[in-house]
Amino acid sequence: MKYRSVFDIIGPIMVGPSSSHTAGAARIGLVARQLFQIEPEWAAFHLYGSFAKTYQGHGTDVALVGGLLGFDTHDHRMTQSLDFAKERGLTYSFHEEEAHMDHPNTVKIRLGAEGEEMELVGISIGGGKVEVKELNGFELRLSGNHPAILVVHNDRYGAIASVSTKLAEYEINIGHMEVSRKEQGKEALMVIEVDQNISETTLMDIAKLDNISKVTKIHE
């Protein structure tokens, strides 16, 4: 689908024509970029349910790529995101999947660069709001609508308490927190949504704690 103007898909508040299929898709792509932390070189988008059926007509493809390039929903470059992807050397593919998912607007994004890879499953729940349901095999619930940190850590006694204590030292209030693990005593993932953006100094201090292997932030 071709757009003459940014206003063909972006309304005064959110991306259209469908807030679920375009604004939400852009937000999922943007969250994936923030979590990956480096410029992606390739991406594969696996689309499920209504995403798979209408992704071209509703601009879901443009929005996903634009978000992955770092474009927010109001960015005037969004309509030309496929051209910008070519300029930046980002190769991408779209795959229409038939498997049934719990939510009709579901996408699995696989991306990579510099030998690193990441896999994320996100859903668009309406009104431009999204949830990340899975990250590299860890089940989670991350809205992407609030500042948050993701902490990969060894599943050891005291690891969670040390992170929450460090946040308290910096007077950062936790709005939502959950922990996911694949196997007891192995690698685990903390997802912590907070009330304000977290500084790089705070992130570095958390990364220095015992049993912490990686800290990533998402800003609002």
Side-chain angles (χ1 to χ4, degrees), residues 59-134:
T60 304
D61 51 351
V62 173
L64 285 168
V65 172
L68 200 58
L69 291 174
F71 304 161
D72 210 336
T73 55
H74 58 269
D75 195 309
H76 69 278
R77 297 171 294 176
M78 182 66 75
T79 57
Q80 302 298 320
S81 62
L82 303 185
D83 293 330
F84 279 105
K86 185 176 181 179
E87 288 181 9
R88 294 192 188 181
L90 172 66
T91 59
Y92 57 85
S93 59
F94 292 92
H95 308 269
E96 300 174 26
E97 304 290 355
E98 297 182 356
H100 175 76
M101 305 296 278
D102 292 336
H103 195 282
N105 300 327
T106 299
V107 57
K108 177 170 69 176
I109 302 176
R110 296 173 46 247
L111 67 159
E114 301 176 11
E116 299 289 333
E117 294 188 16
M118 188 185 83
E119 182 176 290
L120 173 150
V121 177
I123 62 173
S124 177
I125 59 178
K129 296 186 179 298
V130 305
E131 285 187 4
V132 176
K133 307 296 291 183
E134 186 177 311

Side-chain angles (χ1 to χ4, degrees), residues 14-213:
M14 64 187 66
V15 172
S18 165
S19 61
S20 295
H21 288 197
T22 43
R27 187 60 184 166
I28 294 171
L30 186 59
V31 170
R33 178 186 178 88
Q34 292 175 349
L35 289 173
F36 194 50
Q37 296 185 295
I38 57 178
E39 190 76 24
E41 296 172 352
W42 62 267
F45 301 95
H46 299 263
L47 305 165
Y48 300 84
S50 61
F51 264 8
K53 296 176 182 177
T54 64
Y55 73 95
Q56 291 178 312
H58 282 180
T60 304
D61 51 351
V62 173
L64 285 168
V65 172
L68 200 58
L69 291 174
F71 304 161
D72 210 336
T73 55
H74 58 269
D75 195 309
H76 69 278
R77 297 171 294 176
M78 182 66 75
T79 57
Q80 302 298 320
S81 62
L82 303 185
D83 293 330
F84 279 105
K86 185 176 181 179
E87 288 181 9
R88 294 192 188 181
L90 172 66
T91 59
Y92 57 85
S93 59
F94 292 92
H95 308 269
E96 300 174 26
E97 304 290 355
E98 297 182 356
H100 175 76
M101 305 296 278
D102 292 336
H103 195 282
N105 300 327
T106 299
V107 57
K108 177 170 69 176
I109 302 176
R110 296 173 46 247
L111 67 159
E114 301 176 11
E116 299 289 333
E117 294 188 16
M118 188 185 83
E119 182 176 290
L120 173 150
V121 177
I123 62 173
S124 177
I125 59 178
K129 296 186 179 298
V130 305
E131 285 187 4
V132 176
K133 307 296 291 183
E134 186 177 311
L135 178 65
N136 292 336
F138 288 106
E139 294 182 359
L140 68 154
R141 186 182 64 183
L142 176 66
S143 71
N145 296 312
H146 304 282
I149 60 171
L150 281 74
V151 183
V152 180
H153 62 100
N154 295 323
D155 184 25
R156 299 289 188 273
Y157 175 82
I160 297 172
S162 67
V163 173
S164 59
T165 299
K166 183 61 66 176
L167 291 174
E169 290 177 6
Y170 282 95
E171 298 183 348
I172 296 172
N173 191 49
I174 296 174
H176 173 77
M177 179 177 182
E178 62 180 60
V179 180
S180 175
R181 61 186 184 184
K182 301 175 185 177
E183 185 179 347
Q184 184 177 353
K186 302 295 185 179
E187 192 175 64
L189 175 67
M190 279 182 251
V191 179
I192 308 171
E193 293 188 342
V194 294
D195 292 342
Q196 67 260 47
N197 283 324
I198 297 177
S199 69
E200 292 298 328
T201 299
T202 306
L203 290 179
M204 289 189 291
D205 281 354
I206 293 173
K208 294 175 184 176
L209 296 172
D210 292 341
N211 296 307
I212 304 302
S213 55

